[in-house]
Amino acid sequence: MFLNFSIAKLLKNEYPLYYVGDQDLKYRINYYLSLLDKITPSSTVHSINVANYAVGFSEFINSNICKEEMYTGAVLHDIGKITIEKNILEAKRTLTEAEMEKLKTHISAGKFLLENDSFSLGVLDIVYFHHERDDGNGYLKIPGSQIPLGAKIVAICDTFDALTADRPYRSKTDINTALKI
């Protein structure tokens, strides 16, 4: 019920995209989220949650990242999942190695989609690097010193929201436990 209500408001451009001032950008975000919602509705709500967390976290640490850019990159961080088969996205089991490799392509696909729609470099960096880790064990194996701050923030918020939501393959983690991870 919440999901349908939220996406309906979003698609009517009634969802409060608080940090996005440009009307054209709001329409572009809504367009991409409507595509994501057709493939995996839970990812749409997840993306909105991550965006709100990311802006708040960015403010909390006093980063100099523009709120609009942080919100946009965070809300579109998983847009590349529109290129992934639904059976992979909704699997209720551990993914095979081949399926996991396919899932990892969502970062490149997302960057490609948004790059061809003239999104800023900051937004593209968030989308492309949001699965990187400081220890170099992310999708791309990038050292922590080379990961943009916006992508690091989104990675933290993405993990937190994923842990605190039910998934097809596991129950949600309580907030206190998620904060310790």
Side-chain angles (χ1 to χ4, degrees), residues 62-112:
N62 293 316
S63 84
N64 61 354
I65 301 171
C66 165
K67 286 181 189 178
E68 183 174 87
E69 190 167 77
M70 175 57 76
Y71 187 90
T72 302
V75 83
L76 297 176
H77 76 280
D78 278 340
I79 193 58
K81 287 185 176 179
I82 66 173
T83 66
I84 309 296
E85 293 87 2
K86 194 171 186 169
N87 66 310
I88 294 174
L89 296 174
E90 295 179 351
K92 295 180 181 181
R93 57 172 172 70
T94 303
L95 296 177
T96 66
E97 190 174 323
E99 289 170 332
M100 190 61 200
E101 289 305 311
K102 176 65 177 170
L103 180 63
K104 288 180 180 181
T105 67
H106 84 274
I107 59 172
S108 301
K111 181 181 178 191
F112 179 80

Side-chain angles (χ1 to χ4, degrees), residues 45-55 74-75 77 153-154 157-159 161-162:
V45 171
H46 165 72
S47 294
I48 293 165
N49 289 344
V50 170
N52 288 320
Y53 293 148
V55 170
V75 83
H77 76 280
I153 292 170
V154 170
C157 298
D158 184 23
T159 301
D161 190 66

